[in-house]
Amino acid sequence: MSHLSLHKDYPWLKPHAPIIVGAPMMKITMSAAAVAISAAGGLGFLAAGFDVTSLPSDLSSAAKLISSNPALTSHATNGILPIGVGFQNWGADMSKSLGALRDFPVAAVWFFAPKQISDLEAWTRAAREMSRGRTKVWIQIGTVAEALEAARCCRPDVLVVQGADSGGHGLLQRAGLVTLLPEVADALGREGFQIPLFAAGGVVEGRGAAAALSLGAAGVVLGTRLLACKESVIAKGYQDEVLRVSDGGTSTVSTTVYDAVRGITGWPEAYTGRGVANKSHTDALNGMSDAENQELYKAAMKLGDKGWGPEGRMTTYAGTGVGLVREVKTAAEIVSEVQRDCISGLRRAKERFDAKPRL
Ligand SMILES: Cc1cc2nc3c(=O)[nH]c(=O)nc-3n(C[C@H](O)[C@H](O)[C@H](O)COP(=O)(O)O)c2cc1C
């Protein structure tokens, strides 16, 4: 497997350490978070989402931050920004997106949730042609079938395997990482593909990262954890809710209700979004119409940070790992903590079996 080539493709990655990737999270992991994660020796993805109108200015601000960050300046000199950009392909306009990337080429693009996987073929070809192969293509998938289809039509540089615990949007029907990642690896292997797999979904700290690497992942993706990152763009009410909530298997739900109340249309049908259960959700379950629920949501928006909470209606997209997110830290602290705890977790596991058996 080409783990070593990852360090060649992204030379600022911390050597001899687990690869930590910051997920693109729409409107949250923007230039500051993406740059801070890369500067900490990980790979940060700036979220372009489905409406790419602000992408040129977001990339321009990332370029400024990079040019003033001593950890990254030398890596930006070849004209490629040492960050990635993540798209929600079902809604992102391809020519506008590529236009922004032409002005500010990046090390990697991340594709997610196209209307159909085959749509990504054109995106992949264009991204590679435009950068003469220097922009690497990452595709986030949620099933074995999607992984195979993406591999066959795009030959991506990386596949991100998104397991069922993930926060935000994902396929309604998919397995957790413990089964999904090895089955994806086996299926790809049988067809002769050698594509590094990154684990996304429920990886919040070192123990989860160690588990993912044991499953064969080349690195891990943090999403929910970065909701409590100093460089993320997030309302205090949202962040406080992330810190408050525990036991994500019961406190979060995977639903289309939050898209409905926020008036977001266009997600392909197979997707729902995981977030903390709140009043919008319980009212929908009890039969409230989308129109009424939307009105109440609009009213809650006027409450500012008080709009969040168990009795609130503002959406807290987060994964089942939310209970492990307990403190706001900088991107640098998060990356180095997860790397350190991952390595010590793997060492501890190994030591259990290194001991000489008693005779
Ligand atoms: C608040 C939030 C917003 C997200 N937005 C995006 C997005 O814009 N594009 C995308 O590809 N994935 C998005 N995701 C999903 C992540 O890519 C990733 O799969 C997920 O966060 C990993 O699981 P975790 O949240 O348990 O770490 C989002 C996730 C969250 C929690």
Side-chain angles (χ1 to χ4, degrees):
M1 176 89 85
S2 44
H3 294 191
L4 276 179
S5 85
L6 289 165
H7 282 85
K8 228 164 58 202
D9 290 340
Y10 319 103
W12 61 91
L13 289 175
K14 187 171 177 198
H16 314 296
I19 302 176
I20 310 294
V21 170
M25 294 193 287
M26 201 170 83
K27 298 191 176 160
I28 296 173
T29 43
M30 304 308 285
S31 52
V35 171
I37 291 160
S38 287
L43 171 56
F45 278 85
L46 185 163
F50 58 84
D51 174 1
V52 298
T53 320
S54 72
L55 184 57
S57 69
D58 292 331
L59 282 169
S60 160
S61 89
K64 278 196 202 104
L65 290 171
I66 288 163
S67 67
S68 60
N69 191 314
L72 291 174
T73 38
S74 66
H75 298 294
T77 49
N78 62 0
I80 299 275
L81 298 180
I83 56 167
V85 172
F87 297 93
Q88 294 181 9
N89 297 74
W90 60 265
D93 180 282
M94 187 163 106
S95 75
K96 278 191 200 150
S97 304
L98 294 170
L101 293 175
R102 199 166 285 120
D103 293 339
F104 295 101
V106 292
V109 284
W110 163 305
F111 299 148
F112 178 52
K115 288 187 181 129
Q116 55 248 326
I117 295 279
S118 55
D119 293 348
L120 297 182
E121 203 176 335
W123 282 84
T124 300
R125 197 175 321 109
R128 285 184 172 144
E129 271 170 21
M130 202 173 66
S131 67
R132 281 171 281 120
R134 292 185 304 164
T135 298
K136 303 299 172 195
V137 174
W138 293 44
I139 298 180
Q140 180 163 245
I141 53 86
T143 62
V144 176
E146 275 197 348
L148 285 173
E149 201 185 343
R152 288 176 197 140
C153 78
C154 301
R155 301 191 174 259
D157 299 284
V158 165
L159 279 171
V160 177
V161 180
Q162 191 195 37
D165 289 304
S166 61
H169 285 80
L171 292 173
L172 173 62
Q173 259 203 303
R174 69 209 149 109
L177 277 178
V178 173
T179 53
L180 182 58
L181 196 132
E183 194 178 344
V184 165
D186 287 352
L188 292 170
R190 274 196 297 274
E191 294 205 8
F193 292 111
Q194 281 207 320
I195 303 172
L197 303 179
F198 276 64
V203 181
V204 171
E205 30 94 291
R207 288 169 293 184
L213 295 198
S214 303
L215 293 170
V220 297
V221 174
L222 305 180
T224 295
R225 174 70 192 262
L226 299 178
L227 299 173
C229 171
K230 282 207 172 110
E231 290 87 350
S232 291
V233 181
I234 184 166
K236 186 165 181 327
Y238 187 164
Q239 195 168 62
D240 285 348
E241 186 65 355
V242 168
L243 297 175
R244 183 189 70 79
V245 167
S246 60
D247 206 1
T250 55
S251 59
T252 69
V253 284
S254 207
T255 176
T256 54
V257 168
Y258 299 131
D259 282 328
V261 294
R262 288 148 60 100
I264 294 180
T265 52
W267 273 97
E269 247 183 33
Y271 289 82
T272 53
R274 185 180 287 283
V276 175
N278 67 8
K279 281 292 272 180
S280 307
H281 182 253
T282 44
D283 281 348
L285 280 188
N286 292 330
M288 184 182 278
S289 71
D290 284 353
E292 189 181 351
N293 217 344
Q294 215 173 53
E295 284 312 309
L296 292 169
Y297 178 83
K298 280 187 197 145
M301 283 174 77
K302 300 193 183 119
L303 300 175
D305 291 326
K306 292 200 177 75
W308 277 272
E311 293 305 308
R313 294 182 174 276
M314 298 300 288
T315 306
T316 305
Y317 278 127
T320 64
V322 67
L324 291 165
V325 185
R326 301 195 182 102
E327 210 185 328
V328 180
K329 291 188 175 180
T330 63
E333 287 166 339
I334 292 170
V335 170
S336 65
E337 178 218 285
V338 175
Q339 287 177 327
R340 184 197 62 218
D341 292 351
C342 173
I343 292 169
S344 62
L346 289 169
R347 286 212 176 106
R348 265 199 316 278
K350 180 174 175 291
E351 277 160 15
R352 288 176 54 199
F353 303 102
D354 280 348
K356 281 207 184 105
R358 274 201 227 135
L359 295 174

